[in-house]
Amino acid sequence: MSFRDRYQIWSENPYFDEETRQELKQLTDQQEIEDRFYKDLEFGTGGLRGIMAAGTNRMNKYVIRKVTQGLAEYICDHGPEGKKRGVVIAYDSRWFSADFALEAALILAQNGVKAYLFDELRPTPELSFAVRELQAIAGIVVTASHNPKVYNGYKVYWEDGGQVPPAKADEILARIEARESWLGIEPMPIEAAKREGLLQMIGAEIDNVYLSRVKELALHPELDVHRGKELSIVYTPFNGAGNKLVRSALAELGFSSVTVVKEQEQPDPNFTTVPYPNPEIPTTFDLAREYGKKVKAELLLATDPDSDRLGVVLRVPNGDYRQLSGNQIGVLLTYYVLSQKKNLGILPEKAAIIKTIASTDLADEVARYFKVAVENVLTGFKFIAEKEKEMEDGGWGKFQFGFEESYGYLAGDFVRDKDGIIASVLLAEAALYYRNMEHRSLFEVLETIYQMYGYYLDSQESLTLEGHRGQEEMVRIMDSLRQEEIREICGNQIEKIDDYEQQIGKNLVSGQSYPLTLPRSNVLRFSFAGGGFVMVRPSGTEPKIKFYFSVKADSQSSAEELLRLVKDNVMNRIALIRSK
């Protein structure tokens, strides 16, 4: 069926509401119509994400219906037990998130699958916890994480609380694709769903259990209780779902000197003060910095709208504030967790950390120092959660900490996704511990780590390439990089090239090739001799191609200069490819 045929059905068939049909009839740009209907919004390993609008390649209630119908059919294939165990559903503060969540719940109910729906917005990591706690067969969270306000998304979790793994995602996708028609998928009326026990609202009872487990992760709870109030913190939830639980977790541990950025406290789907609510972006902390200067806060914390990511800004001696990168936060927390567990005598045998191939190799150095194993996985926190489950099921590793460079962190065994609440607690406690017990700031701890292992600096660049043509350009860039065997960048020798699409790596020094055991993924990673790398991959959730840069040098200034040169060289190469 052509995009024009799809457009005609959506704009004329009375199954689609009047608002949807009128929106489509007003479109005059043929490129816009093609982009909206040339394909279905892609259901990947974690779910889907897109701009909210009418169309098969957009986020709307009809896409929610079709995807949820596929999920419901897959659950029904597991028999009455799967339907009875049900699906937990959470949502964030975005436009239509609550509507989409209810729509999904009522489609499940129509198929006889029980739905547990949170009574208001909740963080994504709590959804992961609730799936495990309620022993549900699956979970759904309606969120677009840190994307701009025009986006929304739909992520699917399985019974272990992790994002649905690729094999199961493929089976769900098969059910979705088997239904060619968009028509005839109707939700159960809400009162009927409640009356038949197919829709159950959940709330504070899950919050309380979750918070009790978070508090158990504190490594120095006595210190937190007695000295936590001395640490001045500014926190912002970016108008999202983290507000209540982050503040509760900190307060219950003893961190009572927390000031909230009022303009960003309450849910706001327009994200008025942070149009791109991503804590990686320095300007998103502008208001928090102003608050910090007023109350002389030592620590500024920010969670993204679904509160699975954490951004951190620290006060420096002259009173200014400096932001930590995701890799720096990950390294500091890795060092804190491992060193304190070793000091306390609770670092187990077979201890392991898990990180992604896009994250700094400095964490590998730290782990080796503490004789802790390192597992590197593909980009995406779902792969960290999968590896944790493998360790748990196989008994060959004891998970201590996991992180990815894009501000995602996890400790403990009760959540299977990145968790901004857990990370907030650990980071606050680390700052308190070093301040009171060692009279050092987190920056000084980080400097010690650099002096021990080398100055690793990291950065990212992204090219936004939207629509059908953008997808074609991404393919051309990746194909060109594969065909050209790059052996050096700015005089730095490339030691290894790992092609995860082909699942083959090559050592350029020895000339030997070797198999890559991670799942197939469209990723190229160029590793420098002596440390650092350049990695390229198209995003799985946004119309972008991402470039990751990591360098190692003997000093901060040398690393900064090398990073600048490497970035310029690579991006100039990409500009040349695009110009051909």
Side-chain angles (χ1 to χ4, degrees):
M1 185 181 297
S2 71
F3 75 86
R4 292 184 179 86
D5 293 333
R6 289 179 166 205
Y7 168 74
Q8 184 175 3
I9 292 171
W10 276 61
S11 59
E12 296 179 1
N13 195 293
Y15 169 75
F16 300 97
D17 61 33
E18 181 66 19
E19 183 180 358
T20 296
R21 284 180 281 140
Q22 286 303 316
E23 176 187 337
L24 292 172
K25 286 176 182 178
Q26 291 171 12
L27 294 178
T28 57
D29 185 339
Q30 288 300 303
Q31 183 63 52
E32 173 70 10
I33 293 172
E34 180 180 357
D35 278 348
R36 289 197 188 197
F37 287 96
Y38 83 94
K39 67 172 184 176
D40 290 352
L41 192 61
E42 185 175 348
F43 184 88
T45 54
L48 45 83
R49 189 179 300 178
I51 294 170
M52 288 177 281
T56 62
N57 190 33
R58 295 291 187 268
M59 276 295 296
N60 52 69
K61 70 179 181 182
Y62 301 106
V63 169
I64 295 289
R65 287 181 182 181
K66 188 175 182 182
V67 172
T68 307
Q69 180 64 33
L71 174 62
E73 290 171 7
Y74 181 64
I75 291 171
C76 289
D77 289 345
H78 289 71
E81 182 63 23
K83 296 166 68 174
K84 182 180 178 181
R85 289 172 63 188
V87 179
V88 186
I89 305 174
Y91 57 91
D92 69 4
S93 59
R94 291 176 178 274
W95 285 113
F96 307 114
S97 281
D99 298 333
F100 291 165
L102 180 60
E103 197 80 23
L106 297 178
I107 291 295
L108 290 168
Q110 185 77 323
N111 286 270
V113 179
K114 184 172 184 176
Y116 296 92
L117 179 62
F118 274 104
D119 55 9
E120 62 177 0
L121 75 169
R122 288 300 195 288
T124 289
E126 188 180 10
L127 180 280
S128 173
F129 169 78
V131 170
R132 295 170 65 84
E133 180 69 13
L134 295 171
Q135 298 183 331
I137 195 169
I140 296 167
V141 60
V142 179
T143 179
S145 189
H146 56 286
N147 286 76
K149 65 181 181 180
V150 296
Y151 284 83
N152 213 326
Y154 177 108
K155 292 167 67 176
V156 180
Y157 291 73
W158 202 240
E159 59 188 343
D160 67 322
Q163 291 182 42
V164 61
K168 284 187 170 57
D170 289 344
E171 294 185 54
I172 296 168
L173 179 60
R175 304 312 192 276
I176 297 168
E177 292 181 338
R179 177 184 290 271
E180 293 186 8
S181 174
W182 289 80
L183 309 179
I185 306 173
E186 298 285 355
M188 178 179 278
I190 185 169
E191 292 306 322
K194 289 181 177 179
R195 185 172 60 249
E196 296 183 24
L198 292 169
L199 175 60
Q200 179 177 330
M201 306 305 291
I202 56 175
E205 68 278 11
I206 299 297
D207 299 341
N208 294 336
V209 182
Y210 169 75
L211 285 171
S212 71
R213 298 298 306 276
V214 171
K215 289 187 291 183
E216 290 172 2
L217 295 175
L219 295 170
H220 295 288
E222 291 295 319
L223 177 67
D224 299 339
V225 168
H226 292 105
R227 307 295 293 272
K229 62 180 177 295
E230 299 171 8
L231 185 70
S232 178
I233 299 171
V234 167
Y235 168 65
T236 171
F238 286 163
N239 305 111
N243 183 39
K244 292 183 178 180
L245 288 187
V246 170
R247 293 169 66 184
S248 294
L250 290 170
E252 289 178 25
L253 279 167
F255 296 95
S256 56
S257 299
V258 177
T259 302
V260 180
V261 177
K262 290 297 181 184
E263 297 89 337
Q264 298 167 350
E265 179 180 7
Q266 298 303 320
D268 175 11
N270 286 322
F271 305 113
T272 307
T273 60
V274 278
Y276 203 127
N278 182 352
E280 296 180 61
I281 300 172
T283 54
T284 60
F285 276 94
D286 285 352
L287 278 174
R289 285 187 178 90
E290 292 179 16
Y291 275 73
K293 289 177 180 178
K294 289 177 183 177
V295 300
K296 297 183 179 178
E298 295 180 43
L299 194 63
L300 313 182
L301 303 177
T303 50
D304 66 340
D306 67 326
S307 197
D308 60 352
R309 286 176 165 84
L310 174 72
V312 179
V313 172
L314 304 178
R315 191 175 69 189
V316 294
N318 68 3
D320 289 337
Y321 288 94
R322 182 174 145 197
Q323 185 168 2
L324 294 176
S325 71
N327 278 319
Q328 289 173 326
I329 298 168
V331 166
L332 280 169
L333 288 178
T334 298
Y335 183 82
Y336 177 70
V337 169
L338 298 185
S339 64
Q340 295 310 304
K341 285 192 171 186
K342 182 178 180 180
N343 292 342
L344 293 166
I346 58 173
L347 186 63
E349 293 185 9
K350 302 180 184 177
I353 68 164
I354 309 172
K355 54 181 274 291
T356 67
I357 57 175
S359 303
T360 178
D361 296 333
L362 179 54
D364 302 60
E365 301 271 15
V366 171
R368 277 192 287 270
Y369 177 80
F370 290 104
K371 296 182 173 58
V372 168
V374 180
E375 291 290 328
N376 284 290
V377 298
L378 291 176
T379 306
F381 218 90
K382 57 184 173 287
F383 296 111
I384 292 177
E386 284 178 19
K387 186 61 67 175
E388 181 185 0
K389 185 176 187 299
E390 284 179 32
M391 286 183 182
E392 190 177 86
D393 292 347
W396 53 268
K398 300 287 187 181
F399 175 72
Q400 303 302 302
F401 189 71
F403 80 95
E404 61 182 0
E405 41 66 46
S406 56
Y407 286 54
Y409 319 97
L410 178 65
D413 61 359
F414 55 93
V415 171
R416 287 290 196 266
D417 205 349
K418 53 186 174 289
D419 191 324
I421 299 96
I422 288 174
S424 296
V425 164
L426 288 176
L427 203 289
E429 185 183 77
L432 181 69
Y433 174 83
Y434 290 119
R435 173 183 182 265
N436 285 276
M437 306 305 292
E438 299 187 8
H439 309 292
R440 293 196 293 166
S441 69
L442 289 177
F443 276 128
E444 289 171 321
V445 175
L446 188 60
E447 177 65 23
T448 298
I449 295 171
Y450 285 146
Q451 289 176 2
M452 291 174 67
Y453 307 112
Y455 286 79
Y456 284 79
L457 288 188
D458 310 274
S459 185
Q460 271 191 47
E461 292 286 341
S462 295
L463 285 178
T464 299
L465 301 169
E466 296 182 328
H468 193 189
R469 293 171 186 170
Q471 289 288 325
E472 292 175 345
E473 189 163 6
M474 287 188 212
V475 170
R476 189 158 58 86
I477 289 170
M478 295 301 292
D479 286 347
S480 180
L481 291 174
R482 283 190 169 93
Q483 291 163 12
E484 179 188 3
E485 191 175 87
I486 302 172
R487 290 184 167 268
E488 62 84 28
I489 299 176
C490 301
N492 289 271
Q493 182 183 11
I494 302 294
E495 182 178 30
K496 295 188 300 181
I497 300 177
D498 293 332
D499 186 339
Y500 290 91
E501 179 72 14
Q502 305 298 325
Q503 294 187 303
I504 294 174
K506 183 176 181 180
N507 188 309
L508 300 185
V509 178
S510 67
Q512 298 296 310
S513 296
Y514 48 88
L516 299 175
T517 57
L518 296 182
R520 190 181 302 277
S521 183
N522 191 12
V523 178
L524 286 169
R525 193 178 195 268
F526 305 85
S527 298
F528 292 119
F533 61 87
V534 173
M535 197 179 94
V536 188
R537 74 175 185 96
S539 171
T541 57
E542 301 171 275
K544 293 180 178 180
I545 185 165
K546 294 189 172 183
F547 302 85
Y548 303 79
F549 305 94
S550 177
V551 301
K552 178 186 178 183
D554 295 331
S555 68
Q556 179 84 16
S557 59
S558 297
E560 289 173 351
E561 178 63 11
L562 179 57
L563 183 61
R564 183 187 65 80
L565 292 171
V566 168
K567 285 176 63 176
D568 287 349
N569 182 285
V570 171
M571 299 316 294
N572 286 337
R573 287 173 187 258
I574 300 305
L576 186 60
I577 292 170
R578 296 182 68 192
S579 67
K580 291 180 180 178

